[in-house]
């Protein structure tokens, strides 16, 4: 398969739909100055651990969970408004491919993105795809490990170049 090194665009159909809960949460978090956290939401164990870690980070002040779907596809939503106006945005990608970070940096100011590669924290499961192939308790434990690293880096104010360090031992 050819490697994609060039930029490309995708077309998104508009919608007249509105998510009432997304509007309420987006407006509330914007008004309260919360920092949005999204994850890549990938389908494999790496995406799942990133998703779980994002939930954990978002439980801590001043962070709150945001929705990548509304951010990427409904520019008029309160969620998108919140993420556009936030001082910082946290994105936890499941692996070094940084699927959501690569989209996000073209939508908002790259300098305010704190971008993480969850795999580089725990550095295993590279031969596993299915989420269920890792027991639930272990998934939660590894997600906690990732979340703690993300929170520590955020506390230290690490810049994006420092938080996107790839996984030394995994295949790229
Ligand atoms: S960053 Fe990795 S885990 Fe997440 S969607 Fe992309 S390939 Fe999947």
């Amino acid at each position: 398969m050819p490697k994609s090194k060039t930029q490309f665009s995708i077309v998104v159909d508009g919608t007249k739909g509105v998510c009432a809960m997304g509007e309420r949460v987006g407006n509330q978090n914007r008004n309260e100055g919360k920092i949005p956290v999204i994850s890549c939401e990938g389908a494999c164990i790496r995406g799942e651990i990133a998703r779980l870690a994002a939930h954990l980070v978002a439980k801590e002040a001043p962070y709150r969970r945001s929705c990548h779907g509304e951010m990427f596809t409904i520019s008029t939503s309160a969620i998108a408004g919140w993420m556009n106006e936030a001082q910082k945005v946290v994105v936890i990608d499941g692996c070094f491919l940084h699927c959501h970070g690569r989209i996000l940096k073209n939508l908002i100011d790259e300098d305010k993105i704190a971008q993480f590669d969850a795999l580089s924290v725990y550095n295993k499961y590279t031969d596993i795809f299915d989420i269920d192939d890792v027991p639930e308790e272990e998934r939660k434990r590894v997600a906690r490990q990732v979340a703690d690293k993300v929170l520590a880096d955020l506390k230290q104010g690490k810049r994006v170049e420092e938080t996107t360090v790839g996984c030394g031992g995994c295949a790229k």
Side-chain angles (χ1 to χ4, degrees), residues 66-88:
S66 189
C67 171
H68 76 283
E70 286 200 68
M71 175 62 202
F72 293 166
T73 74
I74 311 177
S75 61
T76 54
S77 66
I79 289 281
W82 169 38
M83 292 186 69
N84 276 299
E85 289 177 21
Q87 289 185 341
K88 183 187 289 254

Side-chain angles (χ1 to χ4, degrees), residues 142-157:
V142 173
R144 182 74 261 172
Q145 182 188 351
V146 173
D148 287 346
K149 174 72 164 65
V150 168
L151 286 164
D153 284 357
L154 288 169
K155 199 170 181 181
Q156 288 177 26

Side-chain angles (χ1 to χ4, degrees), residues 57-113:
V57 170
K59 295 284 183 209
E60 306 287 329
Y63 308 103
R64 286 291 183 277
R65 195 67 159 92
S66 189
C67 171
H68 76 283
E70 286 200 68
M71 175 62 202
F72 293 166
T73 74
I74 311 177
S75 61
T76 54
S77 66
I79 289 281
W82 169 38
M83 292 186 69
N84 276 299
E85 289 177 21
Q87 289 185 341
K88 183 187 289 254
V89 172
V90 179
V91 54
I92 305 175
D93 276 310
C95 74
F96 49 83
L97 291 180
H98 285 295
C99 293
H100 274 28
R102 286 184 291 112
I103 298 172
L104 197 61
K105 74 178 189 177
N106 291 295
L107 294 175
I108 63 175
D109 182 0
E110 192 173 352
D111 285 344
K112 73 176 191 179
I113 300 175

Side-chain angles (χ1 to χ4, degrees), residues 8-138:
F8 61 93
S9 300
I10 58 171
V11 175
V12 179
D13 286 346
T15 177
K16 292 180 180 170
V18 174
C19 171
M21 181 56 72
E23 291 301 290
R24 185 169 76 72
V25 167
N27 282 324
Q28 182 176 336
N29 287 337
R30 175 167 49 187
N31 292 339
E32 294 177 358
K34 303 296 186 192
I35 295 175
V37 181
I38 62 170
S39 75
C40 74
E41 316 281 345
C44 70
I45 183 63
R46 287 159 288 284
E48 176 67 2
I49 288 172
R51 189 182 71 85
L52 294 172
H55 290 342
L56 293 170
V57 170
K59 295 284 183 209
E60 306 287 329
Y63 308 103
R64 286 291 183 277
R65 195 67 159 92
S66 189
C67 171
H68 76 283
E70 286 200 68
M71 175 62 202
F72 293 166
T73 74
I74 311 177
S75 61
T76 54
S77 66
I79 289 281
W82 169 38
M83 292 186 69
N84 276 299
E85 289 177 21
Q87 289 185 341
K88 183 187 289 254
V89 172
V90 179
V91 54
I92 305 175
D93 276 310
C95 74
F96 49 83
L97 291 180
H98 285 295
C99 293
H100 274 28
R102 286 184 291 112
I103 298 172
L104 197 61
K105 74 178 189 177
N106 291 295
L107 294 175
I108 63 175
D109 182 0
E110 192 173 352
D111 285 344
K112 73 176 191 179
I113 300 175
Q115 182 178 338
F116 296 88
D117 165 3
L119 177 60
S120 70
V121 177
Y122 60 88
N123 203 8
K124 55 185 176 183
Y125 312 138
T126 51
D127 56 346
I128 292 174
F129 189 90
D130 287 351
I131 292 166
D132 292 341
D133 284 349
V134 177
E136 184 177 5
E137 284 310 308
E138 189 174 333

